Structures are given as structure tokens and as C-alpha cells.
């Protein structure tokens, strides 16, 4: 074989070896070529292409630090690392992992995610990054034992189903409250509460006003406009509970405002 021919064969063999290594490492599947893990701010975040939209995963790969930058900035400035943390709406767990790395006692974090299909990936993320967070598969709900939650592959549309029936693909999830989560974890006071629950943050403030006023010291929340509920009305309710607004930043293109409140 002449030299150019040998060079071509060597290049092909090298390419096949690279592909083989990627496949055996579990980064890319033979049937679904979408990666199942993304490095975001120092943590390996698992994202199952079977339950998370492929275009969303590739967007994370191209710009991993562009995911929830406003929530990250709020956590950087206002999260009190000595305090216990309750996160409502873990999603893919990128913010969960980031905050857990900051805590003085990483085991003092509870992160709630209602979508049962995301839990296995969250547990893998916890294991691979040696996180102390406890992931809980429940949904915030009031007045019933179960809550209907949508479970589309677009995690930005995973939310509590509204009574108008606009979202129909759903699962029934055990309901809980911030108070119940705190009591079960033994969090007694000075709790940090982080929420991204697509409008249901207004219900948390309405139904758990007394508990928030007495036991929570910091609130970082994505706040959505929902009928008469707006960021301004949310701020007014928080003020009545003794909280002062510390920060407000619109999340460009995401339809919410990240707000921070503290005692």
C-alpha cells in the first residue's frame, strides 16, 4: 500500500476509535445521538434525552453557563451558605448542584421536583458530583393529597395543570408544602427558599404566609405574571410578611422576573 493510502486508513481507524470511546463512555447513544450529560458550572448534569427535549440539551452544550443566569446571580449574591435550603422546582438540577456546592452543610438542602421522569437523572447528578442535596419527588399543593403536573419533554412547560385544561398530559404527584418539607428535614428557622414553579410561587405566599414570616429569612424566586398576580403584587405580599425586596431582574425571553427578598 502506498503512503497516501496508509495515511487515509490511519485517519479512518483513529476516527472510529474516537467514536467507539464516546459510545462506550455513554456520552452518545447508537439509537439517539443526543448526549446525556452536560457540564454546567463545574458539575456534570445528567439529562436523559428520552425525557428532555434534544434541542434543549444541545442548547445547554453550546452555552452551558447561559442556563438560568439570573437565578445563579441571585444565589451568588444573596444565598446565605450557613442556612438550610429548600428549593422548589429542581428541573434538571443545574441550580440545585450549584447551590449545594456553596452550602457550609451540603446535607441541609432539600430540592423538590414533581416530574417523576427527571428523578433518576437528578440522582445520577447527585452521585457523580458527590452532592449532599436530597431530591424529593413531590409537588407543592394545597387542599388535596395529589397534584396533577404536566410532564412534557420540554421542561420549561412542566408545571401544575391549570383548571382550564390547556395542559392535558400529566401525572398525579403527592402534594406537600414548604412547612411539611421543613418539618420533615428538621429545618427550624432561617430557611432559604428558592422557587421556580411557573406561577405557583404566588400560591406559596398566599397559603403559607405565617410559616414564611416566622421561619424563612431569604426568598429567591422566579416570579411570573398570572392574571392579577404580578411581580409588583408579589412584592407587596412579601412586604406584608416582613420581607424587604433586595433585587429584581428580568430573565430575558423566559417570561419571568427573578426577585430576592430578605428579612
Amino acid at each position: 500500500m502506498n503512503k497516501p493510502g496508509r495515511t487515509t486508513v490511519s485517519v479512518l481507524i483513529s476516527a472510529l476509535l474516537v467514536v467507539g470511546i464516546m459510545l462506550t463512555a455513554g456520552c452518545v447513544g447508537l439509537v439517539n445521538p443526543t448526549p446525556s450529560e452536560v457540564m454546567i458550572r463545574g458539575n456534570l448534569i445528567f439529562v436523559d434525552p428520552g425525557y428532555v427535549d434534544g434541542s434543549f440539551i444541545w442548547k445547554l452544550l453550546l452555552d452551558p453557563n447561559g442556563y438560568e443566569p439570573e437565578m445563579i446571580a441571585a444565589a451568588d449574591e444573596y444565598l446565605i451558605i450557613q442556612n438550610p435550603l429548600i428549593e422548589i422546582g429542581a428541573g434538571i438540577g443545574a441550580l440545585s448542584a450549584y447551590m449545594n456546592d456553596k452550602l457550609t452543610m451540603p446535607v441541609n438542602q432539600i430540592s423538590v421536583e414533581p416530574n417523576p421522569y427527571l428523578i433518576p437523572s437528578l440522582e445520577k447528578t447527585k452521585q457523580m458530583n458527590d452532592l449532599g442535596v436530597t431530591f424529593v419527588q413531590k409537588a407543592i399543593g394545597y387542599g388535596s393529597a395529589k397534584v396533577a403536573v404536566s410532564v412534557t419533554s420540554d421542561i420549561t412547560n412542566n408545571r401544575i395543570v391549570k383548571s382550564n385544561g390547556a395542559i392535558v398530559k400529566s401525572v398525579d404527584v403527592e402534594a406537600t408544602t414548604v412547612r411539611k418539607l421543613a418539618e420533615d428535614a428538621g429545618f427550624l428557622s432561617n430557611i432559604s427558599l428558592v422557587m421556580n414553579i411557573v406561577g405557583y410561587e404566588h400560591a406559596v405566599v398566599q397559603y403559607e404566609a405565617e410559616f414564611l414570616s416566622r421561619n424563612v429569612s431569604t426568598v429567591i424566586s422566579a416570579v411570573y405574571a398570572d392574571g392579577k398576580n404580578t411581580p409588583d403584587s408579589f412584592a407587596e405580599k412579601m412586604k406584608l410578611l416582613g420581607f424587604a425586596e433586595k433585587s429584581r431582574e428580568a430573565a430575558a425571553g423566559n417570561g419571568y422576573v427573578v426577585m430576592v427578598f430578605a428579612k
Side-chain angles (χ1 to χ4, degrees):
M1 184 181 290
N2 58 27
K3 186 175 181 179
R6 288 197 299 270
T7 301
T8 301
V9 171
S10 297
V11 170
L12 287 172
I13 291 173
S14 297
L16 288 170
L17 284 172
V18 170
V19 172
I21 291 169
M22 291 176 68
L23 291 174
T24 56
C27 294
V28 179
L30 283 169
V31 177
N32 189 339
T34 304
S36 60
E37 53 194 48
V38 183
M39 185 66 72
I40 302 179
R41 297 184 174 90
N43 286 294
L44 190 63
I45 307 300
F46 282 83
V47 277
D48 187 344
Y51 299 109
V52 178
D53 187 73
S55 62
F56 176 78
I57 296 174
W58 282 106
K59 183 177 180 180
L60 289 177
L61 286 166
L62 293 172
D63 185 21
N65 292 337
Y67 183 63
E68 297 188 328
E70 298 83 9
M71 294 292 282
I72 292 291
D76 278 340
E77 187 166 357
Y78 295 103
L79 188 67
I80 300 175
I81 62 174
Q82 296 86 3
N83 289 353
L85 167 62
I86 296 176
E87 179 193 19
I88 310 297
I92 62 171
L95 180 61
S96 312
Y98 185 79
M99 294 189 297
N100 196 251
D101 284 340
K102 290 180 169 295
L103 295 186
T104 303
M105 293 289 290
V107 295
N108 284 344
Q109 177 181 342
I110 304 296
S111 290
V112 180
E113 172 52 47
N115 188 336
Y117 303 112
L118 295 180
I119 297 299
S121 291
L122 289 171
E123 291 296 342
K124 286 183 181 179
T125 294
K126 173 181 176 175
Q127 180 181 6
M128 292 301 296
N129 298 287
D130 195 24
L131 302 175
V133 57
T134 296
F135 289 108
V136 175
Q137 196 258 308
K138 293 182 181 179
I140 296 296
Y142 305 99
S144 63
K146 299 284 185 179
V147 178
V149 177
S150 70
V151 290
T152 68
S153 62
D154 177 4
I155 67 163
T156 62
N157 272 327
N158 289 334
R159 63 191 69 191
I160 293 174
V161 175
K162 300 296 184 180
S163 58
N164 61 17
I167 301 172
V168 295
K169 186 177 181 181
S170 65
V171 295
D172 287 336
V173 177
E174 182 181 346
T176 189
T177 64
V178 177
R179 177 193 292 272
K180 184 70 164 56
L181 290 164
E183 289 175 349
D184 289 347
F187 298 166
L188 302 178
S189 62
N190 292 321
I191 297 167
S192 296
L193 176 63
V194 176
M195 298 187 287
N196 192 348
I197 44 179
V198 199
Y200 217 66
E201 66 279 356
H202 298 282
V204 171
V205 175
Q206 176 183 348
Y207 288 101
E208 303 203 58
E210 182 180 356
F211 181 82
L212 298 185
S213 179
R214 292 184 178 182
N215 300 87
V216 174
S217 61
T218 305
V219 175
I220 300 173
S221 182
V223 179
Y224 295 76
D226 182 12
K228 294 182 180 180
N229 294 318
T230 65
D232 285 340
S233 69
F234 191 84
E236 285 298 318
K237 293 172 185 173
M238 294 297 290
K239 183 178 179 180
L240 291 174
L241 301 185
F243 289 89
E245 183 177 342
K246 298 296 183 181
S247 175
R248 181 186 300 206
E249 183 177 0
N254 289 317
Y256 62 81
V257 175
V258 174
M259 304 182 73
V260 180
F261 302 87
K263 290 286 186 65

